[in-house]
Amino acid sequence: MTHFGDFAPLCHQVPSYPWCNLFYRQLQHHNASALTGASANASSAPVGINPECGIELVGHDGSLANIANIIACALSMIVVVLLVIWTSRRRAAVGRVEFRLFLVLYFLTLPFQLLSTGAFLQQGSTALTVITAIHAGLVAATFWALLANAIVSTQVVEDGTLSSIIPFNFFVLAFFVATGYIALDVGFTFTSVFGPSDPSSDLHSTPLFVLTSIWPGAAAIIYFLIMTYVVLGMLNEVRPMWYFVLAAVLFVLSQLDFFLLSKVICRGAAHKVDGSFVATVLETASVTVLYFAWRSITEESWEDDMYYPR
């Protein structure tokens, strides 16, 4: 029976699910006999734990690694760099500094996603475990930054000032450190607090599950609700709301693709690619639409640029 906090179903059924890398390392050192099928040989094992479908390590049996998602991540990084530049030019925009920080954090998740799901590094290796833990920390921090942008939009605190930036960065660091440490402890089992899983086959870690699965979804929902209030309630605008709706739809589609269609694509492509590249494209499209949503409700510049320089 599956319990809350179990990663076993996800690691078995969802190709390229990055947090499985942590449990592979854990099983390798505490119950290696649980690694069977495609996961039995670390030198060729795909991302996942005994996955139904997965992309084998680069170079094994002609594998080109997760080439489709590698390209998607690279292109997404270029898009996000452009968004950061365009955001920086909007000097009078409310929440400019905070939104730029969100974009920077999202940008940082992309190379770590590329490495943790790209089938570049051997399963169970120290490098892959550490990179996956950093990726987990960045994801948790990024969704805090998203939520914080919604809070700033209400003007509870003045954007771009120390009263906004200090708590913003404090919680970014807190989410990154806490999630990263928990992920490292799951993988390396420094202590018995966060691992090993008992029984090991459940791949269980409630804190990791909450921070990497529940928290991102909850933060996205709360963000959407707050922005709905800001746009419809405070600004009395309707048109910008459609941007936020579109961004939400794209995000939901990215998750549906990743968790439901990825295995179908993987099997149809003979284990050469999976649906992770579609999810990456949709997530980046969602972030891009969020930029246009933010742009539609903010001013571009002051009449006199000498005021309130940042």
Side-chain angles (χ1 to χ4, degrees):
M1 179 182 294
T2 301
H3 299 89
F4 182 81
D6 287 353
F7 283 82
L10 294 170
C11 290
H12 181 57
Q13 299 176 13
V14 181
S16 298
Y17 193 56
W19 322 134
C20 305
N21 298 335
L22 304 170
F23 290 99
Y24 192 102
R25 170 81 181 204
Q26 184 184 115
L27 287 174
Q28 197 176 47
H29 286 75
H30 293 278
N31 186 16
S33 62
L35 297 170
T36 61
S39 294
N41 185 359
S43 64
S44 63
V47 175
I49 305 296
N50 311 328
E52 293 184 3
C53 187
I55 301 169
E56 293 185 329
L57 191 69
V58 62
H60 185 271
D61 196 24
S63 173
L64 297 176
N66 194 351
I67 185 66
N69 196 43
I70 291 168
I71 294 172
C73 286
L75 294 176
S76 293
M77 290 168 67
I78 295 171
V79 170
V80 177
V81 167
L82 291 174
L83 294 179
V84 170
I85 294 172
W86 294 341
T87 299
S88 299
R89 290 176 178 175
R90 298 182 62 81
R91 301 189 59 185
V94 172
R96 177 179 68 95
V97 175
E98 292 83 357
F99 191 73
R100 184 172 58 194
L101 286 171
F102 161 69
L103 291 174
V104 169
L105 283 169
Y106 178 69
F107 174 88
L108 291 175
T109 66
L110 292 168
F112 282 94
Q113 178 195 152
L114 187 156
L115 292 171
S116 62
T117 66
F120 279 124
L121 302 172
Q122 183 171 308
Q123 283 293 322
S125 65
T126 299
L128 182 59
T129 306
V130 171
I131 285 171
T132 303
I134 294 173
H135 183 198
L138 286 171
V139 167
T142 298
F143 277 93
W144 155 252
L146 176 69
L147 178 56
N149 269 271
I151 296 172
V152 168
S153 295
T154 66
Q155 291 289 276
V156 172
V157 294
E158 186 177 351
D159 64 289
T161 62
L162 291 179
S163 60
S164 170
I165 298 301
I166 289 177
F168 184 102
N169 288 327
F170 172 80
F171 283 106
V172 163
L173 184 62
F175 271 103
F176 175 75
V177 171
T179 307
Y181 173 77
I182 291 170
L184 286 171
D185 203 3
V186 167
F188 292 111
T189 57
F190 299 126
T191 70
S192 59
V193 177
F194 301 111
S197 173
D198 185 20
S200 58
S201 60
D202 286 348
L203 312 181
H204 183 86
S205 176
T206 298
L208 184 67
F209 186 79
V210 169
L211 288 166
T212 59
S213 299
I214 303 302
W215 161 244
I221 291 171
I222 297 170
Y223 171 86
F224 181 77
L225 293 175
I226 293 176
M227 293 312 300
T228 299
Y229 164 71
V230 170
V231 175
L232 300 180
M234 296 177 63
L235 301 178
N236 294 316
E237 296 282 353
V238 175
R239 183 179 177 183
M241 196 63 223
W242 290 112
Y243 285 111
F244 290 103
V245 171
L246 177 57
V249 169
L250 289 170
F251 178 74
V252 170
L253 288 176
S254 74
Q255 301 308 298
L256 290 175
D257 165 78
F258 186 75
F259 289 103
L260 299 181
L261 294 180
S262 191
K263 183 171 66 174
V264 176
I265 295 173
C266 179
R267 286 175 170 171
H271 301 219
K272 300 301 181 183
V273 299
D274 56 35
S276 58
F277 79 96
V278 179
T280 299
V281 169
L282 289 172
E283 285 176 358
T284 302
S286 179
V287 170
T288 302
V289 174
L290 279 184
Y291 164 79
F292 286 105
W294 170 77
R295 186 176 183 272
S296 70
I297 60 173
T298 58
E299 297 293 335
E300 184 170 0
S301 62
W302 291 290
E303 292 182 3
D304 188 346
D305 285 341
M306 293 179 65
Y307 290 105
Y308 310 112
R310 293 181 190 164

